[in-house]
Amino acid sequence: MSLPNRVIEALRCSVCAEPVSLTGRTLRCERRHSFDLARQGYVNLLHARIPAGTADTAPMVDARAAFLSSGAYAPLADAVASAAGSAPGLIIDAGAGPGYYLSRVLDDAPDAVGLALDVSAIALRRAARAHPRLGAAVWNLWEPWPVGDGVASVVLDVFSPRNAAEFHRVLAPGGKLVVASPLPGHLSELGDLVLAVDSRKEERLEAALGGLFVRESGVEVVRTQPFSAAQVRDVVAMGPAGFHLDRDGRRERLDAAAGRDVTLAVSVSVWRRAEVREGNPEGL
Ligand SMILES: C[S@@+](CC[C@H](N)C(=O)[O-])C[C@H]1O[C@@H](n2cnc3c(N)ncnc32)[C@H](O)[C@@H]1O
Ligand SMILES: [Zn+2]
């Protein structure tokens, strides 16, 4: 398992920002900073420590992978793929986790390659083998990303941190940002077993991206379906509330929720990269 060549061409050294090339299992820049590929195929480009609690842990990643493979979020993956389109080029998934959405998008875009960025190496072990045209790099999205300017045709962000300035820098002119974020009502039947959705989330999205992106379109993926005991357990364990499963009788409440109808309510929006000129953010 390795990194696709077109992904390597887009990557930059995370120390000095020079291009990198692969010799054997090592990525190296001209200044000889080097990064070994892990046996599982991803590369770790981090060189600073990450605050504890930032990266998804092994139990969270296992739960996420099990939950996603149950198909419960397949309608969301379909909506993300249709928003991303089938154009060739590089698709960067910011906070890709196990690579479920990126690999679904690549299925519909036969001439594209994908780069999964995530701070969780454990998640990227899975992402690296999720699709043959997918490369994976461990990185903190709040730092300048280890990729060149304008290298991406599409950036995906599904339930992950949003760094609008880096979305804008890495996208080519005319490039597309696809954002999936929960709507009020998402998983609401599970109460405080999962984190409540901030009712002003859409407004905050607008505020975070406005100026650098222009909203082009959006769909709402809403459906209610019965969740099995395993789906309830996994959807809770894959989120931040998964850290606290042993508190406040949560496990018993989890068992009691098995078989309940649960609502999936997610907005998938497409944003076009705005041309930013001095004093004229939307290039109008
Ligand atoms: C809610 S999960 C979503 C994962 C994936 N998009 C999905 O929906 O299956 C958020 C992801 O963002 C990653 N993450 C959180 N903070 C991050 C950061 N500062 N830099 C990079 N990844 C981060 C986590 O490790 C996790 O994989
Ligand atoms: Zn370097």
Side-chain angles (χ1 to χ4, degrees), residues 54-56 64 68 93 95-98 101 117-120 123 139-142 158-161:
T54 308
D56 275 10
R64 180 173 296 278
L68 292 172
D93 190 349
Y101 297 97
L117 294 177
D118 202 289
V119 76
S120 167
W139 190 246
N140 176 4
L141 296 170
W142 295 121
V158 182
F159 305 138
S160 288

Side-chain angles (χ1 to χ4, degrees), residues 131-205:
H131 198 285
R133 280 179 280 120
L134 188 162
V138 182
W139 190 246
N140 176 4
L141 296 170
W142 295 121
E143 299 290 331
W145 297 3
V147 298
D149 295 351
V151 290
S153 49
V154 177
V155 170
L156 308 176
D157 188 290
V158 182
F159 305 138
S160 288
R162 292 192 278 265
N163 182 340
E166 284 300 279
F167 291 164
H168 191 269
R169 183 186 68 80
V170 305
L171 274 169
K176 207 196 255 192
L177 168 66
V178 177
V179 180
S181 77
L183 292 164
H186 182 56
L187 304 179
S188 57
E189 296 84 351
L190 297 176
D192 68 353
L193 287 169
V194 292
L195 275 196
V197 177
D198 170 0
S199 60
R200 297 180 54 208
K201 207 157 182 149
E202 287 291 286
E203 238 173 85
R204 290 201 288 117
L205 178 59

Side-chain angles (χ1 to χ4, degrees), residues 173-276:
K176 207 196 255 192
L177 168 66
V178 177
V179 180
S181 77
L183 292 164
H186 182 56
L187 304 179
S188 57
E189 296 84 351
L190 297 176
D192 68 353
L193 287 169
V194 292
L195 275 196
V197 177
D198 170 0
S199 60
R200 297 180 54 208
K201 207 157 182 149
E202 287 291 286
E203 238 173 85
R204 290 201 288 117
L205 178 59
E206 206 74 57
L209 299 177
L212 294 176
F213 289 88
V214 179
R215 190 184 170 108
E216 187 174 88
S217 61
V219 293
E220 295 191 348
V221 182
V222 180
R223 63 187 60 200
T224 301
Q225 55 198 335
F227 271 19
S228 67
Q231 285 172 320
V232 171
R233 192 186 56 229
D234 290 336
V235 82
V236 171
M238 75 189 201
F243 285 120
H244 311 299
L245 273 186
D246 290 317
R247 287 217 302 248
D248 308 330
R250 281 170 181 255
R251 274 194 199 277
E252 294 69 40
R253 287 163 52 216
L254 211 76
D255 291 341
R260 204 177 280 174
D261 275 348
V262 179
T263 300
L264 161 71
V266 180
S267 120
V268 177
S269 51
V270 175
W271 302 73
R272 222 22 103 167
R273 181 186 186 279
E275 292 307 315
V276 179

